């Protein structure tokens, strides 16, 4: 699965939250300063070309919806992230964030439990 740009990911976050939306509604959900309508429309069409977004036509208007779930994208992104920055080692990643973020023992235990439960 291809990695999203920052702008594409921001649009996808809105679509994952709303599930279905017209460009106008997507813009309403974005933080200030609001991007131009044409900018958001272009990004949504790029996401559609990449296979992340589909649409339903209502005359000249389109209502967009995600074709890729947030969970699926997150799993793919994290796998690539760990591979790229931590030589594929989740242990190195957890060690890094433990040192950098001063995780408490409870937070570390919760993280380890989540990692164990997500493995096949």
């Amino acid at each position: 699965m291809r990695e999203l740009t920052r702008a594409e990911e921001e649009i996808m976050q809105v679509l994952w939250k709303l599930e279905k939306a017209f460009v106008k509604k997507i813009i309403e959900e974005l933080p200030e300063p609001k991007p131009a309508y044409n900018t958001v429309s272009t990004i949504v069409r790029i996401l559609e070309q990449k296979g992340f977004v589909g649409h339903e036509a209502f005359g000249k208007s389109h209502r967009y919806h995600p074709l890729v779930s947030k969970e699926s994208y997150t799993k793919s992104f994290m796998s690539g992230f760990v591979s790229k920055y931590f030589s594929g080692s989740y242990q190195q990643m957890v060690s890094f964030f433990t040192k950098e973020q001063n995780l408490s023992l409870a937070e570390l235990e919760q993280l380890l439990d989540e990692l164990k439960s997500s493995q096949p």
Side-chain angles (χ1 to χ4, degrees), residues 1-5 8 50 52 73 77 80-81 84:
M1 183 179 304
R2 293 170 64 177
E3 201 170 310
L4 298 173
T5 66
E8 291 167 346
K50 288 183 172 183
F52 281 86
Y73 180 72
F77 174 81
F81 176 79
K84 189 184 303 183

Side-chain angles (χ1 to χ4, degrees), residues 6 17 21 40 49 58 81 99 118:
R6 188 178 308 220
K17 176 183 167 189
V40 174
Q49 291 170 355
F58 294 90
F81 176 79
K99 291 173 188 171
S118 69

Side-chain angles (χ1 to χ4, degrees), residues 19-23 37 48 54-65:
E19 297 179 6
K20 295 179 181 180
F22 294 94
V23 171
Y37 183 95
E48 196 167 18
H55 76 268
E56 296 173 77
F58 294 90
K60 292 183 180 183
S61 296
H62 292 92
R63 182 172 64 182
Y64 297 95
H65 58 274

Side-chain angles (χ1 to χ4, degrees), residues 31-48:
E32 295 290 343
K34 304 283 187 192
Y37 183 95
N38 287 342
T39 302
V40 174
S41 181
T42 299
I43 294 169
V44 170
R45 285 196 308 276
I46 291 168
L47 286 166
E48 196 167 18

Side-chain angles (χ1 to χ4, degrees), residues 8-119:
E8 291 167 346
E9 189 173 332
E10 193 172 19
I11 301 297
M12 285 304 299
Q13 291 291 347
V14 172
L15 283 172
W16 284 322
K17 176 183 167 189
L18 298 176
E19 297 179 6
K20 295 179 181 180
F22 294 94
V23 171
K24 185 177 179 182
K25 183 65 177 170
I26 294 170
I27 294 168
E28 288 175 12
E29 295 290 320
L30 294 171
E32 295 290 343
K34 304 283 187 192
Y37 183 95
N38 287 342
T39 302
V40 174
S41 181
T42 299
I43 294 169
V44 170
R45 285 196 308 276
I46 291 168
L47 286 166
E48 196 167 18
Q49 291 170 355
K50 288 183 172 183
F52 281 86
V53 171
H55 76 268
E56 296 173 77
F58 294 90
K60 292 183 180 183
S61 296
H62 292 92
R63 182 172 64 182
Y64 297 95
H65 58 274
L67 295 175
V68 174
S69 72
K70 185 175 185 176
E71 294 76 19
S72 177
Y73 180 72
T74 302
K75 189 179 287 187
S76 175
F77 174 81
M78 286 305 297
S79 177
F81 176 79
V82 171
S83 178
K84 189 184 303 183
Y85 294 102
F86 299 100
S87 304
S89 170
Y90 282 91
Q91 183 177 355
Q92 285 182 19
M93 180 190 74
V94 170
S95 176
F96 172 81
F97 284 110
T98 301
K99 291 173 188 171
E100 293 299 312
Q101 301 298 320
N102 282 329
L103 293 178
S104 70
L105 184 56
E107 290 170 320
L108 186 56
E109 287 176 354
Q110 181 183 0
L111 180 59
L112 290 171
D113 287 343
E114 288 176 18
L115 284 172
K116 286 177 188 174
S117 68
S118 69
Q119 292 184 351

